[in-house]
Amino acid sequence: MRIRVINPNTTESMTALIAASARAVAGPGTVVEAVTPAMGPASIESHYDEALAVPGILQAIASAPAADGFVLACFGDPGLDAARELAAGPVVGIAEAAMHAATLVGRGFSVVTTLSRTRGRAHDLAGRYVGAGACRGVHACDIPVLDLEDDPGVLDRVVEVARAALDRDDSDVIVLGCAGMADLCARASAELGVPVIDGVAAATVLVQSLVTLGVRTSKRGEYAPPPAKLYTGPLTGFTRTSG
Ligand code: 5HY
């Protein structure tokens, strides 16, 4: 099977980190194709960034008709519903996958994310995916997304925030709130002594399982292909001639 893993921001080095995490859990016969959109924000840290990441994501979906499934590798799960309308195969966001996985291995999880301003989005997604009760808290380490790669103290900082979160939230699982934290997962879990969930790996495994189950996104209702429609200006290329 072929899984296209989309990094919704345009930073290639982050796509490489995401690819390594996805390939580490891909089964024999699963080809992981990690891609960087042709347009969008260098990182996603606001609603504005998220909104403007969506056209690049949809282009990356539309240009892979042969892919069996897709992973949206940004913790805000930007454009998830639109991507499900467009794609035939399953589309899973890393926040969605990580939160579901966390509920399978503990009673309550805490999210450790990058900037404080992204916490609201994580809470909203938790409410949608697993019910507000499962997510006991969302905590920021206040490290910008693109600094995660070169900041030598990032692991210590994430572990420090996670340890405080476990105590404060009385939680027993940590969810990493950014694709750029994927490479910290095993070391953080070893230091904390609790499950730590990397959404990139969790989403890759979930898509792989759905494809193996032979299930795809239902096209009966809300996720039916978008209707034919004219788009203008810079979005002309998104014009749809048939539903
Ligand atoms: C992510 N931003 O996973 C999110 C994390 C965040 O560019 N990739 C990004 O802070 O919301």
Side-chain angles (χ1 to χ4, degrees):
M1 78 175 75
R2 175 177 292 276
I3 299 178
R4 176 167 271 203
V5 177
I6 302 169
N7 171 17
N9 74 41
T10 58
T11 301
E12 291 281 359
S13 55
M14 209 165 149
T15 305
L17 184 151
I18 289 165
S21 169
R23 291 191 177 119
V25 296
T30 297
V31 175
V32 169
E33 190 191 11
V35 298
T36 307
M39 62 178 133
S43 69
I44 298 168
E45 297 168 323
S46 66
H47 298 296
Y48 182 85
D49 294 340
E50 231 180 78
L52 291 172
V54 175
I57 293 167
L58 297 179
Q59 212 175 43
I61 299 260
S63 60
D68 297 294
F70 300 86
V71 169
L72 290 187
C74 169
F75 202 76
D77 293 355
L80 180 63
D81 293 318
R84 283 189 175 144
E85 290 178 337
L86 209 50
V91 183
V92 176
I94 66 170
E96 179 180 31
M99 292 181 184
H100 282 297
T103 62
L104 297 173
V105 294
R107 286 295 289 176
F109 63 85
S110 300
V111 176
V112 175
T113 190
T114 54
L115 302 184
S116 291
R117 66 180 300 155
T118 66
R119 290 182 301 135
R121 177 72 171 151
H123 278 294
D124 292 348
L125 292 176
R128 169 180 167 173
Y129 297 146
V130 292
C135 177
R136 302 266 178 92
V138 181
H139 307 266
C141 60
D142 292 315
I143 299 176
V145 169
L146 296 184
D147 291 358
L148 290 169
E149 271 176 61
D150 338 302
D151 181 333
V154 68
L155 176 64
D156 292 344
R157 177 73 180 136
V158 168
V159 168
E160 176 199 347
V161 172
R163 206 183 294 287
L166 291 166
D167 292 339
R168 190 164 146 203
D169 300 344
D170 188 25
S171 54
D172 56 3
V173 179
I174 293 293
V175 165
L176 297 175
C178 181
M181 293 175 179
D183 59 341
L184 306 175
C185 191
R187 288 173 292 162
S189 184
E191 289 206 28
L192 293 162
V194 299
V196 174
I197 314 278
D198 156 33
V200 175
T204 303
V205 169
L206 255 177
V207 169
Q208 200 168 233
S209 305
L210 293 169
V211 174
T212 303
L213 281 174
V215 293
R216 314 173 93 193
T217 303
S218 175
K219 296 297 168 181
R220 177 179 169 77
E222 169 178 353
Y223 294 132
K229 190 145 309 160
L230 179 65
Y231 286 80
T232 55
L235 298 178
T236 303
F238 291 87
T239 293
R240 297 189 50 84
T241 51
S242 62

